[in-house]
Amino acid sequence: LDVLCGSGAGGLIRTCQRVHAIESGRETRPSATWDLMGDWADDEKGLTVLALDYEHRPEGMDGWPPVMGYVYCLIHGAWAYYFSSATLRKNLNHALLWHAMKALKARGVRWLELGWQARAGDTDKDRGISHLKAGLGGVDIPAKEAPDLCGRSV
């Protein structure tokens, strides 16, 4: 398994879309969103981390690049937002997020927003995503407090 990390991977965004659809069992966002993600990656406003496996192609990926999973982060200055991910192999997302965090740090990013945490009444999938995020460490910061913690006011 190889991991590639960097901006300018907009050309592979359709492969990420395919991986996402296979994992989800359906298309979960409009193609226009994927187009924007590709543009942001090409403009170095997005970071894509890919897991490649040249020996074991998953079902549904014949004819596609050998991407087993991806993590995509949107970057704005010293901030990044965990925007999208999907994996076709169990327990791969933690490793991809770790590679993303290291690459973001190397680019001068100080803050990574992982998104909301699951609440009562959410689905098993939502709780699973929250479990993954909690496993990375860090702290929950209410959005209204984030600007003050970073020396900026709104």
Side-chain angles (χ1 to χ4, degrees):
L1 193 68
D2 294 322
V3 175
L4 297 178
C5 210
S7 294
L12 285 171
I13 208 68
R14 291 294 171 213
T15 303
C16 295
Q17 181 181 9
R18 179 72 179 153
V19 169
H20 200 272
I22 291 171
E23 183 196 47
S24 302
R26 62 186 175 84
E27 289 289 335
T28 60
R29 55 181 55 129
S31 284
T33 302
W34 293 99
D35 293 339
L36 285 170
M37 291 167 64
D39 292 345
W40 294 331
D42 289 339
D43 291 342
E44 299 198 10
K45 295 175 185 167
L47 174 78
T48 310
V49 181
L50 303 169
L52 306 172
D53 188 341
Y54 296 94
E55 296 178 19
H56 305 99
R57 281 197 195 261
E59 189 175 326
M61 290 298 290
D62 291 335
W64 291 85
V67 174
M68 294 298 292
Y70 76 92
V71 165
Y72 183 92
C73 297
L74 184 60
I75 302 167
H76 182 72
W79 288 82
Y81 181 76
Y82 171 62
F83 196 82
S84 179
S85 69
T87 61
L88 301 177
R89 183 175 291 165
K90 199 171 177 110
N91 300 321
L92 187 55
N93 216 350
H94 275 90
L96 291 175
L97 273 169
W98 179 250
H99 282 282
M101 289 187 286
K102 290 186 345 182
L104 290 165
K105 182 177 181 182
R107 289 182 60 165
V109 172
R110 293 188 56 218
W111 302 95
L112 175 60
E113 167 61 51
L114 294 175
W116 59 269
Q117 299 294 317
R119 300 167 301 270
D122 282 345
T123 66
D124 286 342
K125 180 180 178 181
D126 293 331
R127 285 188 289 282
I129 291 169
S130 289
H131 179 74
L132 171 111
K133 292 175 185 178
L136 295 170
V139 296
D140 289 342
I141 301 173
K144 66 181 182 177
E145 295 176 18
D148 292 336
L149 291 171
C150 301
R152 298 176 68 185
S153 60
V154 289

